[in-house]
C-alpha cells in the first residue's frame, strides 16, 4: 500500500500514529500548491490519496492515478473533491465526520463571548490609555451575558449538537434549524428547540452558522438573510466562507443592522488583503473579529483525524470498506 499526502509534511509526520502499520507503510508528501500533473506524477503508484480540505482534487487527477482506491479528506470538508468522478471509478471518498465538532464549538463560543464583552476593542483602548473611559462607556452601553441571549444554530449536525451541549452551562435560550426536525426526546437531550429558518432569524440575537458547503448553502447568507435578522444581532460563522455573500455582510455592518460579527473563515481562501471584510472603516473594524480558519485545527482534532486516515488505509489494504464514506459507495 502506497499513500500520497497532499498537504503539510510537518503535520503528516507529527500526527502519524505510533503503530506498526503506519511505521511500515510507504508514503509521500507533496505541497498543496502542486500542479495536477505533479500530483499525478507523484501518485502514479498510490492507492490512497489524502488531501488537505482546501485543496482541489479533480476528475483529471482521479482518472490519471490508475491504482487509486481511496481519497481521504484530511478534514471534514470534501467539497473540493470530485466525488462523482470518484464514484464512477469505484473509488471511496472519506472525510473526518464529527472529528472537529468540539474544536469548532469551542471556537464559536470564544467568538460569541469576545463580541459580547468587546474584547478586542477593549484591549486596544486600554493599550491607548483609555481604560476608565472605555469601562464607563461599556457599562452604560451594555455588556451582555450569554444567558441573556437567544442563540440560533443553523445546521444541527455534529458541530451544531456539540454547540448545544457546550452552551448548557451558559444557559442561553437555544434554537436550531435544519431540514429535518429532531424528536422531542432529542430536543430535550440537547436543550434546543426547533424554529423555521425565518422565525429563527427574527427571534434570535446570536445567529451561528454550522452548515456544510453544498449547492443549497453557497451564498445563503445574502442581503435577504441579513435583513430578516433581528436588529443589533450578532452573526457568527465558523462553517465556511462560501456560505456568506461578502458585500451583503459588509452592508449589514455598515447599516447598523448587526451589532457584531465573528468569523473563523472567509472566502475566497487563501484570504487576501483586499477582502472587503478586512477593509472596513475604523468604527466597523471594532465590531468584527476574524480568526484564521483554525476552529477545527486543534491538536486533538489532528490526532483523531490521522488515526482515522491510517485505520481507513489499513481497511483498504485488507479489502474492507472504510468508515465515513461520503460518495455512496
Amino acid at each position: 500500500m502506497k499513500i500520497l499526502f497532499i498537504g503539510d509534511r510537518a503535520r503528516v509526520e507529527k500526527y502519524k500514529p505510533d503503530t506498526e502499520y503506519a511505521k511500515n507503510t510507504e508514503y509521500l508528501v507533496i505541497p498543496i500548491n502542486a500542479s495536477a500533473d505533479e500530483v499525478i506524477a507523484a501518485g502514479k503508484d498510490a492507492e490512497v490519496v489524502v488531501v488537505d480540505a482546501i485543496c482541489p482534487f479533480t476528475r483529471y487527477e482521479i482518472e490519471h492515478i490508475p491504482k487509486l482506491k481511496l481519497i481521504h479528506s484530511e478534514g471534514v470538508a470534501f467539497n473540493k473533491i470530485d466525488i462523482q468522478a470518484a464514484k464512477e471509478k469505484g473509488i471511496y471518498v472519506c472525510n473526518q465526520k464529527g472529528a472537529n465538532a468540539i474544536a469548532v464549538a469551542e471556537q464559536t463560543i470564544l467568538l460569541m463571548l469576545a463580541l459580547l464583552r468587546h474584547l478586542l476593542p477593549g484591549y486596544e483602548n486600554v493599550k491607548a490609555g483609555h481604560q476608565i473611559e472605555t469601562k464607563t462607556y461599556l457599562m452604560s452601553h451594555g455588556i451582555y451575558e450569554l444567558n441573556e441571549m437567544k442563540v440560533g444554530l443553523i445546521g444541527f449536525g455534529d458541530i451544531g449538537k456539540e454547540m448545544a451541549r457546550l452552551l448548557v452551562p451558559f444557559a442561553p435560550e437555544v434554537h436550531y434549524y435544519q431540514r429535518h426536525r429532531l424528536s422531542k426526546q432529542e430536543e430535550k437531550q440537547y436543550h434546543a428547540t426547533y424554529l423555521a429558518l425565518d422565525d429563527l432569524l427574527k427571534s434570535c440575537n446570536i445567529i451561528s452558522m454550522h452548515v456544510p458547503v453544498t449547492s443549497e448553502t453557497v451564498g445563503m447568507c445574502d442581503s435577504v438573510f441579513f435583513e430578516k435578522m433581528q436588529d443589533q444581532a450578532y452573526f457568527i460563522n465558523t462553517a465556511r466562507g462560501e456560505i456568506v455573500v461578502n458585500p451583503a455582510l459588509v452592508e449589514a455592518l455598515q447599516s447598523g443592522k448587526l451589532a457584531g460579527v465573528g468569523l473563523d473563515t472567509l472566502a475566497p481562501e487563501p484570504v487576501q488583503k483586499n477582502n472587503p471584510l478586512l477593509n472596513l472603516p475604523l468604527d466597523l473594524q471594532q465590531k468584527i473579529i476574524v480568526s484564521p480558519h483554525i476552529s477545527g485545527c486543534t491538536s486533538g482534532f489532528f490526532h483523531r483525524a490521522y488515526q482515522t486516515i491510517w485505520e481507513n488505509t489499513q481497511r483498504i489494504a485488507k479489502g474492507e470498506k472504510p468508515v465515513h464514506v461520503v460518495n455512496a459507495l
Side-chain angles (χ1 to χ4, degrees):
M1 181 68 66
K2 293 184 179 180
I3 309 173
L4 173 65
F5 288 88
I6 307 174
D8 179 70
R9 177 178 296 278
R11 198 160 66 230
V12 172
E13 294 177 354
K14 178 176 181 178
Y15 295 109
K16 184 176 74 171
D18 187 22
T19 64
E20 286 302 312
Y21 180 78
K23 290 176 183 176
N24 296 320
T25 300
E26 183 180 349
Y27 68 90
L28 176 67
V29 185
I30 62 173
I32 62 172
N33 60 356
S35 69
D37 287 331
E38 288 171 332
V39 169
I40 290 166
K44 64 181 186 299
D45 296 321
E47 294 169 80
V48 176
V49 172
V50 181
V51 188
D52 187 298
I54 68 169
C55 179
F57 197 73
T58 67
R59 177 179 291 273
Y60 177 69
E61 290 148 312
I62 290 168
E63 291 181 345
H64 286 84
I65 299 180
K67 298 181 181 180
L68 193 55
K69 298 177 181 177
L70 169 65
I71 304 165
H72 212 304
S73 173
E74 186 190 37
V76 174
F78 55 89
N79 59 297
K80 299 285 189 178
I81 300 169
D82 191 330
I83 61 173
Q84 181 58 38
K87 184 177 181 180
E88 291 170 11
K89 300 280 285 184
I91 299 165
Y92 291 110
V93 178
C94 298
N95 77 334
Q96 304 291 348
K97 176 176 164 51
N100 69 349
I102 191 166
V104 176
E106 285 184 357
Q107 182 84 4
T108 307
I109 291 174
L110 169 69
L111 292 172
M112 290 179 181
L113 292 172
L115 289 170
L116 292 175
R117 300 304 177 94
H118 305 272
L119 184 65
L120 294 188
Y123 171 56
E124 293 298 328
N125 289 340
V126 171
K127 283 201 305 180
H130 303 302
Q131 180 253 323
I132 292 298
E133 301 95 313
T134 303
K135 179 180 178 180
T136 301
Y137 169 77
L138 290 177
M139 286 191 296
S140 59
H141 177 74
I143 304 170
Y144 299 104
E145 300 170 9
L146 259 177
N147 65 54
E148 299 176 78
M149 299 288 108
K150 291 183 180 181
V151 177
L153 305 173
I154 299 180
F156 208 64
D158 295 310
I159 296 170
K161 290 181 174 70
E162 190 64 32
M163 277 294 303
R165 186 185 73 81
L166 291 186
L167 283 168
V168 169
F170 294 96
E173 186 177 316
V174 178
H175 299 279
Y176 74 96
Y177 168 76
Q178 63 176 0
R179 283 184 293 180
H180 305 292
R181 183 172 184 173
L182 300 179
S183 67
K184 290 183 178 179
Q185 183 178 357
E186 288 174 306
E187 289 186 352
K188 184 176 181 180
Q189 175 187 347
Y190 291 109
H191 302 270
T193 55
Y194 175 86
L195 285 175
L197 181 57
D198 285 0
D199 293 334
L200 182 142
L201 292 174
K202 180 172 62 176
S203 62
C204 293
N205 39 25
I206 297 180
I207 300 296
S208 188
M209 303 302 300
H210 301 287
V211 296
V213 175
T214 67
S215 59
E216 295 177 351
T217 62
V218 169
M220 72 176 290
C221 301
D222 58 11
S223 57
V224 175
F225 178 99
F226 292 118
E227 186 57 36
K228 290 177 179 178
M229 284 178 62
Q230 193 178 111
D231 288 344
Q232 287 296 287
Y234 295 87
F235 176 75
I236 312 289
N237 182 23
T238 53
R240 291 294 291 271
E242 291 91 337
I243 70 176
V244 176
V245 177
N246 289 345
L249 181 52
V250 170
E251 173 57 29
L253 274 167
Q254 289 175 333
S255 68
K257 179 72 176 181
L258 299 178
V261 172
L263 306 172
D264 181 55
T265 173
L266 296 173
E269 194 173 28
V271 179
Q272 303 300 311
K273 291 181 180 180
N274 63 355
N275 189 293
L277 288 160
L278 302 180
N279 291 276
L280 297 165
L282 185 60
D283 60 325
L284 296 182
Q285 289 178 26
Q286 303 203 16
K287 293 184 176 183
I288 185 169
I289 300 173
V290 182
S291 55
H293 204 172
I294 57 167
S295 62
C297 299
T298 60
S299 60
F301 163 73
F302 281 116
H303 280 299
R304 293 186 290 272
Y306 274 81
Q307 188 72 32
T308 299
I309 287 167
W310 283 95
E311 287 175 356
N312 269 349
T313 299
Q314 192 165 12
R315 290 185 181 99
I316 291 293
K318 293 177 179 179
E320 300 172 356
K321 183 175 180 177
V323 299
H324 307 321
V325 176
V326 298
N327 64 334
L329 282 183

